[in-house]
Amino acid sequence: MTIQDRIGDVTERIVKRSHDSRSIYLERIGQAAEKGPQRSRLSCGNLAHGFAACGLSDKKALSGDVVPNLGIITSYNDMLSAHQPYETYPALIRDAAHEVGAVAQVAGGVPAMCDGVTQGQDGMELSLFSRDIIAMAAAVGLSHQMFDAAVFLGICDKIVPGLAIAALSFGHLPAVFVPAGPMTTGISNDDKAKVRQLYAEGKVGRDALLESESQAYHSPGTCTFYGTANSNQMLMEIMGLHMPGASFINPGTPLRDALTKEAAKRALAISALGNEFTPAGEVISEKAIVNGVVGLHATGGSTNHTMHLVAIAAAAGIKLTWDDISDLSDVVPLLARVYPNGKADVNHFQAAGGLQFLIRELLGDGYLHQDVKTVYGTDLSGYTAEAKLDTNGNVIRQEVPETSGDETVLAPVSKAFQPTGGLKMLTGNMGKAVIKISAVAKERHIIEAPARVFHDQNDFLTAFNNKELTGDVAAVVRFQGPKAIGMPELHKLTPCLGILQDRGHKVALITDGRMSGASGKVPAAIHVTPEAAAGGPIAKIRDGDMIRVDAVAGTLEVLVDEAEFNARPLAEADLSQHQFGTGRDLFAAFRANVGTADTGAHVFGA
């Protein structure tokens, strides 16, 4: 199938825009690969330190240059449900390596914070920056130059983007990403949201709320809604860094363990010591990045990836812009309805056919580039088969059924839920912003309402609890950007905004902060850039200004006379209370040097 014109055009302009930076990147990783096994350049003292803790057979194997060594970068901790399953993975991976005559070592661990735990708390101000810390921590682990390939154990919000940036920094090494899978289905996401709203209205107490939340988040595995964590898994698979069918298999199952061992063996097979050398920097190409953006739109994925994908692309010398993302959104159909875009969770999505069905549909109608490299060794068509176990416990793959198992959750292109993607870029006299509209009712795609300005999300909650918000409102929550306080998610506001909307008011949120990947029915113009702390126009808005959020035309405007608006002084905010405590004092250099949201909000420079 010929690629769709818009897909091809956007890809071509990314290729042209990235020509110089991509060429430099590929030359750099090519030179690193040509040097051969890294261990051969270590002194005897270096090497002895590197395998001192190994058994005798592994020491003997690592003494030469012909036995590959697999580095494991892990985000394991046993507090967070998504990462707890990784406890057993190193043993599985070492066993798999030994089965093919290789060695595997844990190269290093990276932090893994949970936005669900820190949501609305001070720790959330470290969340976005943790992505860059993760990238640097993974780089430290790989810097020992002991490894011929790497597997990356990560699943949640900032962890996978950070690991991907690190993998591309070491782009001469093959890299396979290994997920842990979602927890089994608990209380429905719709019921959970209802209890949250009842609590916000004071109709149920904390005991009822905690019971509801505990029924939703109840076991090892990723949260089951389609937020950033599960969007991560979709991206790694559709961009060719997962084994096919690996994303949404529940933890603690025989298939999950078999896929983990398969991933380890595959990473070794595609090292420079094998016959199918496939470095990570060649897997993540301009076409792979476009495939990731298409997948994000087709599934109604997390708005966080309008920053993460830009940062990941930059790590590979590829220049992706919000305009590219927006133009692709205009033509990619929405094929998935997973909470908050619907009532189903990712387990229902998987049962309906999952990514294999979705990839086949998008390939068949020319929305995805098939001619890409993958860690599996095929082009993207190899990712249309789902993973199963044979009678001996080995992974096999079978073509996914021709029809969706539930067209209310996963639709074919011919029955798409809407003709355009779930994300939209907004521009206007307030700057640039992102809005997720796949879960927003069509009658709310255009909102015009008076501004109410806040410099702290808790001030909004106070105003709500004091019954000060009694009509239409465009809540402007500013000084939340990366330079100001690290760009926390403001999902804590969602229940109250939802209540106001349910009362019949026109409601919108405008912020230079972020919203959770679970942001839903309230129109929210987020990631506003330039941010208030950098002198952006959002710092000039005053209470009562009429704000127009138009997701149809793609505009974000304050309806004030241009001369008057330009003459206004910039508001200031006392952010001193956000600079200390919960480790925030250690991140001052990040706040001072972070880039803009539309360039990835990272600290790694151009």
Side-chain angles (χ1 to χ4, degrees), residues 1 3 287 291 363-364 368-374 378-382:
M1 175 66 69
I3 199 76
K287 289 182 177 180
N291 284 349
L363 276 175
L368 290 173
H369 293 285
Q370 182 172 318
D371 55 333
V372 292
K373 288 187 177 182
T374 70
T378 67
D379 61 24
L380 195 59
S381 64

Side-chain angles (χ1 to χ4, degrees), residues 333-347:
L334 180 68
L335 303 185
R337 284 288 190 198
V338 185
Y339 188 86
N341 301 329
K343 295 182 181 297
D345 67 19
V346 293
N347 292 309

